[in-house]
Amino acid sequence: IMPSLVGSEMCIRDRLNIDRQRIILDQLYQKGSVKVSELSKELGVHEETIRRDLKALAAKWDIKTVYGGAVLKNTISSPAVQEINMLSKRGSHYGEKQIIARKAAALIQPGQTIGLNSGSSVEYILDYIEGKQPLNIVTLNIHIAAKALLLEGVDVYIPGGKLRTQSGSVMGSEAADFIRSFTLDQCFCGTSAVNLSKGICHPNIEEVEGNRAMIDASRKKYIVSDSSKMNQTAPFKMFDIDCVDGFVVDNNFPPEYREYMELHGIEVI
């Protein structure tokens, strides 16, 4: 056998192993446990292969192999996050948010239509868009709209409707429909909670629909979030992690989250 053919076969086998382990890992985070016999049938491989996969995953992830399968250890020990107002958000993790905002702004190109949902990390992006004009900014948040209005060469679009006092965001299905009427080049969405089991979550159901609409309307979708939001939970799921193209993060992004993103083809910036 030619060496090049052997190398190609090894690469294919490694890729299949990675794809299979990614499927198993996803099921663990979704269901909390898996059975060797069921995975063997579903994936069309021998049970011993599944056992080796589970052993490999247990060495790197917070899971435990048990008789006949594996279980996910409880990795979320803190209670659901509580919503805080914009003024408090601006002062929290300020340095990390500046790093994130600078990275996010670097992704923006002149002439683009950009979606910004709400939150202080998202708001700080506007401090770093000098030289990016002209831009269209589409937002759900009155604080972000007011700040963007002060910038030269920036057109601002915001839906009408009822504002939430706590966040300054516009609520309701009409606001979501307004967002979906745009074709956004990129969107940058802040979040209150991210975890590998539940996805990207929000403490208030009234803002979920608008955030989903912004993701739906965008060609490239980024989460902007400091590391304190990782491994947290909130009552209402907005969307799955693999719905986004990338995470724009600070220097303390957890290694297991970085590896999860890499496994799922999600960029970490």
Side-chain angles (χ1 to χ4, degrees):
I1 300 175
M2 296 291 289
S4 60
L5 292 178
V6 173
S8 296
E9 289 176 0
M10 290 179 65
C11 286
I12 292 170
R13 188 161 58 247
D14 289 346
R15 183 69 256 173
L16 290 173
N17 288 345
I18 291 170
D19 288 343
R20 192 173 59 247
Q21 290 177 15
R22 175 179 52 78
I23 292 169
I24 295 170
L25 188 66
D26 285 346
Q27 289 199 20
L28 274 163
Y29 275 111
Q30 289 164 10
K31 300 191 295 186
S33 66
V34 293
K35 293 181 178 179
V36 170
S37 58
E38 293 177 357
L39 288 170
S40 174
K41 291 177 183 177
E42 179 183 341
L43 299 175
V45 295
H46 197 276
E47 288 189 5
E48 188 56 38
T49 301
I50 298 297
R51 291 190 188 96
R52 285 197 298 269
D53 286 335
L54 292 175
K55 186 177 180 180
L57 289 169
K60 298 168 68 175
W61 298 89
D62 202 14
I63 67 174
K64 180 182 179 181
T65 56
V66 296
Y67 181 77
V71 296
L72 180 69
K73 297 178 183 177
N74 185 17
T75 58
I76 302 174
S77 57
S78 56
V81 296
Q82 300 297 310
E83 190 174 18
I84 60 175
N85 62 39
M86 193 68 157
L87 186 61
S88 299
K89 286 182 180 180
R90 286 174 180 143
S92 174
H93 301 281
Y94 177 82
E96 291 89 342
K97 290 175 179 179
Q98 294 302 311
I99 292 170
I100 292 164
R102 193 178 292 110
K103 288 180 181 180
L107 298 170
I108 297 172
Q109 299 298 319
Q112 288 189 327
T113 299
I114 302 297
L116 303 175
N117 69 339
S118 64
S120 53
S121 295
V122 174
E123 183 185 41
Y124 287 139
I125 293 171
L126 296 173
D127 294 332
Y128 297 99
I129 62 169
E130 184 65 36
K132 304 287 186 177
Q133 296 91 332
L135 285 176
N136 296 314
I137 299 293
V138 181
T139 184
L140 289 156
N141 189 272
I142 191 68
H143 302 296
I144 290 172
K147 186 169 182 175
L149 275 173
L150 301 177
L151 303 174
E152 290 286 340
V154 175
D155 289 334
V156 182
Y157 300 87
I158 185 170
K162 183 181 177 182
L163 287 168
R164 287 196 65 236
T165 305
Q166 188 80 339
S167 65
S169 289
V170 185
M171 305 178 296
S173 58
E174 290 184 0
D177 290 341
F178 175 86
I179 297 296
R180 289 193 188 95
S181 71
F182 289 86
T183 299
L184 304 176
D185 293 297
Q186 303 184 79
C187 72
F188 298 92
C189 292
T191 182
S192 299
V194 179
N195 73 75
L196 300 180
S197 295
K198 300 298 183 182
I200 297 162
C201 304
H202 197 284
N204 189 281
I205 195 170
E206 293 175 308
E207 294 193 27
V208 170
E209 187 178 3
N211 281 291
R212 287 176 179 167
M214 187 160 285
I215 290 292
D216 291 342
S218 300
R219 185 174 56 84
K220 295 282 285 186
K221 319 162 203 299
Y222 295 99
I223 295 298
V224 291
S225 176
D226 67 83
S227 296
S228 71
K229 310 295 174 49
M230 301 302 116
N231 214 36
Q232 301 293 324
T233 188
F236 306 103
K237 180 176 179 177
M238 294 198 294
F239 35 82
D240 291 322
I241 290 174
D242 60 9
C243 287
V244 304
D245 297 292
F247 273 64
V248 186
V249 300
D250 58 34
N251 299 328
N252 301 312
F253 196 61
E256 66 271 23
Y257 276 71
R258 188 177 294 275
E259 188 159 352
Y260 183 92
M261 303 304 167
E262 183 178 342
L263 197 61
H264 289 76
I266 300 169
E267 189 177 10
V268 177
I269 300 167

